[in-house]
Structure formats: structure tokens, C-alpha cells
Amino acid sequence: MKITKNIVLKFSREIVDQPIVCKLAKVYDLSFNIIKAYVTPRQEGYLILQVSGRESDLKKGFEYLTESGVKIEPVSQDVVRNEEKCTHCGVCVGICPVGALAVDEDTRKINFYSEKCTACGLCINVCPVRAMEVRF
Amino acid sequence: MAKTISEINEKIKKGKAVVLTAEEMTEFVRKKGVPQAAKEIDVVTTGTFGPMCSSGMYINLGHSKPKIKLGGGSCYLNEVPAYCGFAAVDIYLGCSQVPDSDPRNTIHPGEFRYGGGHVIEDFVAGKDIKLSAKTYGTDCYPRKQLETFINIKDVNEAVLFNLRNAYQNYNVAVNLSEKVIYTYMGVLKPKIGNANYCSAGQLSPLLNDPLYKIVGIGTKIFLGGGQGFVSFQGTQHNPNVERGLNGVPKVPAGTLAVIGDLKQMSAKWLRGTSMLGYGPTLTVGIGIPIPVLDEEIARYTSVGDEEIFAPIVDYSDVYPNAKDGTLGSVSYKELKSGSIKIEGRKVPTASLSSYYKAREIAGILKNWIEKGEFLLTEKVADLPGPNRD
Ligand code: SF4
Ligand code: SF4
């Protein structure tokens, strides 16, 4: 039976340029969709994948990833904005890699589009009043 | 015909003053021109809400039983060290102060989750703050140690006293180096990956009074949600810079020292702030009313974002090493559009100061004046202006 999982893969700076993920298909017979991929300013890579395959293959594939130095996290966390705290300054706008935080031209408020947010967490420490919060 | 501040105050008391925010004034003058604006408009309100690191509060704690002399000792508010080199129970806390236990930047970039600015926010919000003090005893002040909670309701005085606020214009920060840098202007991505600015532009107080004709020592202002005053020119006040034909400085210029009763203020307008890899600070809300006494003032207050320019400065080398040179200048209109062109490349912009909140402050001040709750003051002395030569 085939199963599908959403996972976040974090690549440290040292391994970010290595062809690790393609082996999932070649060697472990898994198919995957890349939902989002980006490299942070600190050269760490993030890949949000939807992986499908037989349960035993998934397990082996994940083991292979972990051995290669990739950190695997489930996409279970959510980033939310504490509306009371947000001052609508806009510091986060330039940081968010997927445009989930954007200025409204009219009101000059910073809108948060949670449906676009990939929960990468980059905005959390950048927000000067810590209005972006992780929920598990 | 020119008006006086006392005439305008009479109108305010009768609820007849015509008040516009600086944004509305810009629109008004665009449509109807300067002479009409000078005739019809009495007051223009400005606002700004941004991190201002030279902010702090002083408190007179009142006396414990037996009495203690904090002067010459040491004291902490919620683990953040406060200055106590004054008399027995006067202490001062600066917003950029960090707890002794904070790892600072040893784990780079430091998070600085709690510092002086956060204590000020909590204190204004009415939360109990832990005070711990140690000192030497004297015959008149025998106590040597104190651990207690203080609340803004119970202390004798609590005063916000900021040495440098409301910078007239500011740099646009970029990073020319190959690595990310963490600055008081925010996180700057390598190779000019982003550009951060920090001014409300056309709403900003001193950009609407570029030559300090109105704002001076003694001017009453919106400060942190209460009413405060300009107490002096701020530190680093530098009027002698390059200016446009409209008098507006093209680089950071004037500054204000401001003071006000903290007990009247609100945590909504004094927000503890953490700059990643840099330190804690306080985001302060300030609004200044500008009486439109004549056509000259009407013209100044009509300034728009497209007429205000800021220098683009490299924070990886030029700024830290005190070198000269900029990467050009850019208008606030361009900055607010979300991206600017630097060396032919499109660079995303972000603001550290909240234009949305600046607008709200200008609106609140307008409302206070319309309702007769806020009268204008005559300055008692000028801020130093540009040398005429
Ligand atoms: S950086 Fe924080 S306070 Fe500023 S707009 Fe973004 S979420 Fe709001
Ligand atoms: S966590 Fe923050 S930076 Fe990351 S996608 Fe969501 S909003 Fe953008």
C-alpha cells in the first residue's frame, strides 16, 4: 500500500549543494512533489516535500536522508501572527521567502497570508516585537 | 494673513480649529494650493512609530522601611540592570540595557528577547516588576538589601526621558558584503539583497518642520500615548547638513530629546523591541502638532514622500568603519513602493518604523485637538538651526 507524507527537510550549509534527494526516486522507488524549496541567507537549504511510496520504502528513504545529514521534520507546526503584538512595521516583508507577509498599499498594514506560509520560521526572530509565533 | 498660536488655541477651545494630518495636508495643497491651505488649515499633525534606542525612564521608587540608599549601590528591574548613581531612590533604566545573564552575541546572532525596552513596556502596562537591590548601609539609610515588586501605580514618579528621538530623516541600510549581517537596521542580506529604512517620511515630525520654525524646546507633543514635551535638542542634533530647496535634509539631521509622565502613557505606544544580533530597544510613538501660521509653514507641511530623499549606506563596511560615501539617494515614495533600484538592480525594501501606526498617531493627535483636549504651546527656545552663510 502506498502512503503519502509531507515533510520538511533541512540541509546544513555543508551539504546544501549535494544531490541527495534525487536518490529517493532512483534507489528507494519513492515519488515526490517539491512544494517549496529555498536557501536561507545563512545558506541552509529547506525543502518541503510531499513524498509517496510503500511504507517500507519510505522508512528506508528517511533513514538514508538522516544518514546523509538531512534533518527531517513533519509539517505539523504552524506559524501564526499575534495580531495584538504586530506593529505593522514591515521588517518581515523582505525576509519571508514566499511572500506570505506583504504590505497593503492602501492601509499600509502588513497582511499575513497564512495559506501561503510554509512555516519556515525565518520571520520569528526577525520580527522586532516577536509577533510571529510557532504553534505546534 | 498670518495667524498666531494663541488665535489657533482659541479656535481649538471652541471646537472650530481645522486640523489635518500631514498626509491629508499634502493632498489638500496638491489640490488647492499653498495660499488656500494657509488660510483654511490651522494645524497639521505628524506621527512616527519606530525603534528609538536612546529612550529610557526614571523612577522615584518611594522609601522602604527601613530606608535604603540605592545611590552608589546596584539594582535590577526584572533582572535588567538599572542605573542608580543618584540619590536614595531615583533610578534610570535605558531601553537598550541587557540582563547580565543574557548570552548577548556569544551565540550569534543573539536574540535579545528581554531588555530595558521590555521592562518599560511591562511597567507601563501595569505589570509588577521585580526590583532587587544591593548597597552599603549608612546611619540614615541602614538597609543594605531589597527584594520587592514595584508597580507604576505605587511609585512616586515615573517619567519617560529620551535623549534622542524622532530623527529627521535616516539612512537606508544595505549590505555589500558576501555574508548576512545583523544590525540595528535589521537583518541585511548579502550583496544588497534587501534595503531597510526607518522614517515615516511625509508623516514624520521634523520633516514637516525642516528648519525648526515651530518645533522647539517646550513644544507639547504626543508621547507614548500621553502628552509630553520636547525638552531640548536631541543628542547628535546636526542641522548643518545638505538640504533640498524645500529645506528638507538629505541625510540624518535634527533630533529631539523628549520627556513626559509615564503614568499617562500606554504600552500600545511604547513597545519592547528585539533587534536580532544587535540588542533590545524601545519602539516609541511620537506625534507633533504643527500650527500653520503662514504660507511658509503651509508649504513645509505639504511635503510629500517624492520630495524627501534618504542616502543609501552600506552597513557591512562604510557604516561600521566610519568611512565616507553612499550608494546614492532615494525618495521615500520609491522606498514605500516595495523595491528600489540600486546599481541597476531591483532590491526589495522594508521599513523598521510602522507607517500604519504613524498614521494612527497623527489621527489620534488630530482627534485630541479637534475635541479641544490638546492645546498648542509656544516654544520657549529654538532648536539650533542651520548656520547661515
Ligand atoms: S516584523 Fe513583526 S511587527 Fe513588523 S510587520 Fe512583521 S509581524 Fe508585524
Ligand atoms: S514562517 Fe514567516 S517567513 Fe516563513 S513562510 Fe511563514 S510568514 Fe514567511
Side-chain angles (χ1 to χ4, degrees):
Chain A
M1 198 188 68
K2 277 202 169 189
I3 53 172
T4 301
K5 278 197 169 163
N6 287 341
I7 50 168
V8 185
L9 302 183
K10 292 190 184 173
F11 299 80
S12 64
R13 188 205 286 255
E14 293 72 30
I15 57 168
V16 80
D17 52 359
Q18 289 174 28
I20 293 172
V21 174
C22 57
K23 273 202 189 170
L24 288 180
K26 278 194 216 148
V27 183
Y28 299 94
D29 198 24
L30 301 172
S31 60
F32 56 85
N33 258 329
I34 299 180
I35 300 173
K36 211 106 245 177
Y38 46 89
V39 176
T40 71
R42 286 210 268 172
Q43 318 277 285
E44 292 158 328
Y46 282 73
L47 203 54
I48 299 178
L49 286 187
Q50 192 170 55
V51 212
S52 335
R54 283 213 307 270
E55 192 167 1
S56 55
D57 289 336
L58 274 175
K59 207 174 149 227
K60 281 186 219 149
F62 289 179
E63 274 167 17
Y64 152 73
L65 288 173
T66 313
E67 278 161 19
S68 314
V70 180
K71 273 197 196 152
I72 309 175
E73 284 171 14
V75 195
S76 60
Q77 68 184 39
D78 225 3
V79 169
V80 294
R81 184 165 73 178
N82 183 329
E83 297 298 331
E84 300 245 293
K85 280 192 181 170
C86 174
T87 64
H88 299 279
C89 62
V91 176
C92 53
V93 173
I95 296 295
C96 175
V98 295
L101 290 152
V103 188
D104 181 314
E105 287 299 320
D106 279 341
T107 62
R108 303 303 306 183
K109 271 192 168 183
I110 311 303
N111 292 338
F112 175 46
Y113 301 98
S114 54
E115 68 282 4
K116 284 194 191 170
C117 172
T118 59
C120 70
L122 280 179
C123 54
I124 308 257
N125 285 337
V126 167
C127 170
V129 295
R130 301 289 149 82
M132 302 302 292
E133 298 171 354
V134 184
R135 293 274 159 79
F136 294 94
Chain B
M1 224 208 53
K3 311 179 200 108
T4 66
I5 290 183
S6 50
E7 281 164 14
I8 295 176
N9 275 338
E10 283 313 308
K11 281 176 124 180
I12 295 176
K13 283 182 205 157
K14 289 186 196 129
K16 285 190 175 155
V18 182
V19 191
L20 294 184
T21 68
E23 245 180 345
E24 293 164 344
M25 182 67 166
T26 307
E27 267 308 294
F28 187 99
V29 169
R30 219 170 263 157
K31 284 192 191 127
K32 301 200 173 164
V34 166
Q36 193 68 16
K39 217 182 284 165
E40 278 182 42
I41 312 303
D42 297 310
V43 188
V44 168
T45 59
T46 63
T48 186
F49 189 63
M52 307 192 193
C53 294
S54 276
S55 303
M57 65 169 175
Y58 63 83
I59 309 173
N60 180 285
L61 296 163
H63 287 286
S64 60
K65 255 186 204 175
K67 289 183 176 176
I68 186 167
K69 173 185 183 294
L70 296 185
S74 63
C75 90
Y76 293 83
L77 295 173
N78 283 355
E79 317 293 331
V80 181
Y83 180 76
C84 45
F86 300 113
V89 289
D90 286 328
I91 60 174
Y92 185 90
L93 177 69
C95 69
S96 306
Q97 189 58 265
V98 177
D100 291 346
S101 58
D102 191 291
R104 294 172 162 77
N105 260 343
T106 50
I107 307 161
H108 195 257
E111 292 190 18
F112 303 103
R113 291 196 158 255
Y114 199 85
H118 302 87
V119 178
I120 296 173
E121 178 184 331
D122 283 346
F123 191 55
V124 179
K127 294 188 188 158
D128 287 333
I129 304 288
K130 187 174 144 215
L131 167 80
S132 359
K134 267 201 189 111
T135 184
Y136 58 93
T138 74
D139 291 338
C140 43
Y141 293 94
R143 189 172 188 141
K144 291 182 186 158
Q145 250 187 354
L146 184 62
E147 293 263 336
T148 184
F149 283 91
I150 62 166
N151 191 288
I152 192 165
K153 289 197 309 287
D154 308 324
V155 298
N156 285 335
E157 287 91 12
V159 179
L160 188 77
F161 185 17
N162 304 345
L163 315 183
R164 179 172 68 256
N165 277 178
Y167 234 118
Q168 187 181 30
N169 211 345
Y170 211 74
N171 295 336
V172 179
V174 296
N175 171 11
L176 283 177
S177 78
E178 302 281 321
K179 61 178 209 326
V180 190
I181 58 172
Y182 300 87
T183 73
Y184 69 88
M185 291 296 287
V187 179
L188 300 174
K189 299 190 205 170
K191 299 185 211 153
I192 324 187
N194 60 341
N196 284 357
Y197 64 100
C198 190
S199 167
Q202 61 188 6
L203 264 179
S204 179
L206 289 181
L207 291 175
N208 283 278
D209 182 21
L211 301 169
Y212 329 110
K213 302 264 171 180
I214 298 290
V215 182
I217 296 164
T219 300
K220 191 162 74 170
I221 63 173
F222 171 107
L223 178 59
Q227 300 185 1
F229 296 90
V230 173
S231 55
F232 207 60
Q233 64 265 29
T235 51
Q236 295 177 24
H237 175 81
N238 178 15
N240 296 309
V241 297
E242 194 191 343
R243 289 170 187 267
L245 290 176
N246 51 5
V248 173
K250 294 183 169 174
V251 292
T255 68
L256 300 175
V258 299
I259 193 161
D261 180 6
L262 198 64
K263 293 195 180 195
Q264 290 177 23
M265 296 184 200
S266 125
K268 184 177 176 195
W269 301 112
L270 296 173
R271 297 288 304 277
T273 300
S274 308
M275 299 309 296
L276 188 63
Y278 180 74
T281 179
L282 187 70
T283 296
V284 181
I286 291 184
I288 303 189
I290 300 179
V292 184
L293 301 181
D294 52 31
E295 291 192 9
E296 188 185 0
I297 307 296
R299 188 156 40 79
Y300 291 143
T301 50
S302 73
V303 73
D305 280 335
E306 69 283 0
E307 305 166 87
I308 310 170
F309 292 86
I312 304 167
V313 176
D314 166 44
Y315 272 64
S316 69
D317 180 34
V318 173
Y319 185 89
N321 298 314
K323 296 185 181 170
D324 287 330
T326 70
L327 294 156
S329 77
V330 62
S331 76
Y332 281 91
K333 183 162 186 196
E334 293 166 87
L335 286 166
K336 284 178 191 167
S337 75
S339 67
I340 55 173
K341 275 251 162 80
I342 305 178
E343 293 173 344
R345 265 180 43 219
K346 196 172 155 188
V347 179
T349 54
S351 170
L352 296 183
S353 90
S354 169
Y355 194 74
Y356 171 73
K357 293 282 178 186
R359 199 181 253 171
E360 196 178 335
I361 290 171
I364 292 173
L365 188 52
K366 171 179 166 170
N367 193 260
W368 284 353
I369 297 171
E370 284 174 339
K371 286 201 298 202
E373 290 168 7
F374 188 108
L375 291 177
L376 308 182
T377 54
E378 205 79 63
K379 63 181 166 188
V380 293
D382 290 341
L383 300 174
N387 296 336
R388 297 179 188 280
D389 47 18

